[in-house]
Amino acid sequence: MRGHDWINNSLPDELIVEIFSHLQSKSTRDACSLVCRRWFRLERRTRTTLRIGATHLFLDLLPARFSSLRNLYIDERLSIPLHLGRRRPTDEDGDLESVCLSDTGLSSLGEGFPKLHRLGLIWCSNVSSNGLASLARKCTSLKALDLQGCYVGDQGLAAVGQCCKHLEDLNLRFCEGLTDSGLVELAVGVGKSLKSLGVAACAKITDISMEAVGSNCRSLETLSLDSEFIHNRGLVAVAQGCPTLKVLKLQCINVTDDALKAVGTSCLSLELLALYSFQRFTDKGLRAIGNGCKKLKNLTLIDCYFLSDKGLEAIATGCKELTHLEVNGCHNIGTLGIEYIGRSCQIIVSVMCKIDGSINLLAYQDSGLVALDSEALDTTDIGFRYLTELALLYCHRIGDVSLLEVGQGCKFLQLLHLVDCSSIGDDAMCSIASGCRNLKKLHIRRCYKIGNKGIISVGKHCTSLTDLSIRFCDRVGDGALTAIAEGCSLHSLNVSGCHQIGDAGMIAIARGCPQLYYLDVSVLQNLGDMALAELGEHCSLLKEIVVSHCRQITDVGLTHLVKSCSMLESCQMVYCSGITSAGVATVVSSCPNIKKVLVEKWKVSQRTKRRAGSVIAYLCVDL
């Protein structure tokens, strides 16, 4: 019978709560909570995670409404809700600090959620050691604590060490009030349980703290350090005292080769190493990593000026499980270094066991699948060398020959990212395309030697490609996009600044890639309304589009686009001289799911502001 609520009349609260607890997607849970008031109330009882703005105005209401809450993230950067029965204060009112989270609110939070497991206090500037100590005494089951940007002192951190014996994850980035005293006490208190530690921009934390971490935190697996006050002594202590370390991220300008040698010698389980802006270590340090860290899978080198091809040779030779490599701004690394990486992947050895118990060794080489002599083969040569991600950024000395080796050897490459590699051209891309046929994501920016020939080869061979970004590559035109449309089913496409691309190329994409949900065609001077009309007709799944600086696009093209793209959530169209306030109004009124429209302020009418002011964003407010 129409209008009869069979579900609510038949199912008890307990059963509906049980059903809600099995919903994994946040969007699904949100949709269920809007069905009726009962479902709204019951769904809140099953929520385990909540992210809110930093305000104490409704903290006393949270325990009653979210009784199952275990993970709470409070971020002062998020806006404070407006539906709390009072006007949100402004800076002019002088009352903004009274609304932000304070020690009193933090204390009441501890009383309401004594079983809290994860707590994030992001840039909560009014919280001090007193509030943190009060919370620590009440939330003794805390496992993860994020204090980024909080001006807490040693007393609060010491209380966490004394009370929260199950703490595993701690983030102290930009905690400027801390000194060695607080971190030492914390390391002593939670050393047995702590697995992850992040420290950045803490000027009073020195090697003394790192020595305490090395002495007490034997189970530490992840360490992120960004400090000019930590030297070799501290990092060596951590390396020697934390043998289970798996993730190490360093931006410490005073650390040298000696520290990396200690890491290579002691941290044999290391899987991820990221080195940022290192100016005092050389190939000797990287050679130690290659010789010792045999389980390394992910290596990031950014602005490491004294590294050369020899360092990468040591990594290629020693780290046979490497799957991700990023080289960014390391000006002394050239073609030879990447060649070593490519050659190390040329033999992928797999072990197959027959039914009778005998073992076959199979190798993938240029000639195809071949069998190896298990007796003649040294067991140290057996490894799984399958580089899947390669990123080369601002590497002007790396040329085509290096990627020829990568194309021949790295058959399992899935992601390639090239930025400002001025010596890499079409020959390299053809080699990558013909050899790395599992490529799924290709991002190229300002590589001016890459043109139609290379991208056409990608479209021909890389049929698994779903994410393509070719930005400011002047030699890429419509022919390249036509080949991509014929061979690949793209989900995301960015061709910003490729001036030779026009309507013909985008029409081919629209007809060949109906699964497209993200498109950036900004700064394409030859793109017009015809392309947008085809996109609207064929790409009904489109969610985000950027058409900024496209002077030939007008309101007519926008109208055709939004007619069928009902799922559109974001549209950026600044500096499009052919788009008027009527076009902006059409986008807002025709797209029920629209969340963001970026446009010049003068193109938004008063009626559009009243109708959808919350989704309008302005590039220049006073333009």
Side-chain angles (χ1 to χ4, degrees), residues 131-190:
L132 185 59
S134 176
L135 177 89
R137 288 190 289 268
K138 296 166 185 174
C139 299
T140 56
S141 300
L142 207 61
K143 293 184 178 180
L145 179 62
D146 189 345
L147 297 174
Q148 178 172 321
C150 295
Y151 200 83
V152 295
D154 296 332
Q155 179 184 358
L157 203 60
V160 172
Q162 295 169 3
C163 302
C164 305
K165 297 298 182 180
H166 302 286
L167 191 69
E168 297 179 357
D169 189 344
L170 178 63
N171 182 12
L172 301 176
R173 294 175 62 83
F174 305 104
C175 294
E176 299 177 357
L178 293 177
T179 69
D180 286 329
S181 176
L183 190 50
V184 168
E185 288 195 50
L186 179 125
V188 172
V190 300

Side-chain angles (χ1 to χ4, degrees), residues 530-548:
M530 188 178 298
L532 260 61
E534 290 285 340
L535 288 167
E537 182 178 350
H538 298 284
C539 300
S540 58
L541 300 180
L542 198 64
K543 290 186 177 181
E544 297 183 51
I545 187 168
V546 183
V547 295
S548 299

Side-chain angles (χ1 to χ4, degrees), residues 609-621:
K609 286 181 181 179
R610 290 193 300 269
R611 185 170 187 172
S614 61
V615 303
I616 303 293
Y618 306 111
L619 182 65
C620 298
V621 175

Side-chain angles (χ1 to χ4, degrees), residues 193-263:
S193 62
L194 194 65
K195 293 182 179 180
S196 177
L197 175 64
V199 178
C202 300
K204 298 178 182 179
I205 290 181
T206 66
D207 291 333
I208 296 174
S209 296
M210 294 300 104
E211 289 177 333
V213 170
S215 300
N216 297 279
C217 305
R218 301 283 296 177
S219 301
L220 193 71
E221 296 180 356
T222 300
L223 177 63
S224 177
L225 291 178
D226 181 358
S227 173
E228 57 183 296
F229 302 99
I230 293 176
H231 301 75
N232 285 342
R233 190 182 72 179
L235 192 56
V236 169
V238 171
Q240 294 176 347
C242 307
T244 60
L245 199 66
K246 295 181 179 180
V247 176
L248 181 60
K249 301 179 180 180
L250 297 175
Q251 188 168 351
C252 304
I253 60 174
N254 290 313
V255 169
T256 67
D257 286 332
D258 292 338
L260 286 185
K261 289 178 181 178
V263 172

Side-chain angles (χ1 to χ4, degrees), residues 338-339 341-343 345-346 366 387 390 400-413 416 427-437:
I338 305 302
E339 281 188 60
I341 297 295
R343 291 171 186 169
C345 298
Q346 286 186 5
D366 291 340
L387 191 72
L390 176 61
D400 282 351
V401 178
S402 61
L403 290 193
L404 293 178
E405 292 289 349
V406 171
Q408 293 174 7
C410 303
K411 304 297 183 182
F412 295 93
L413 194 69
L416 179 61
D427 290 341
M429 290 311 305
C430 290
S431 176
I432 290 291
S434 60
C436 307
R437 304 197 177 195

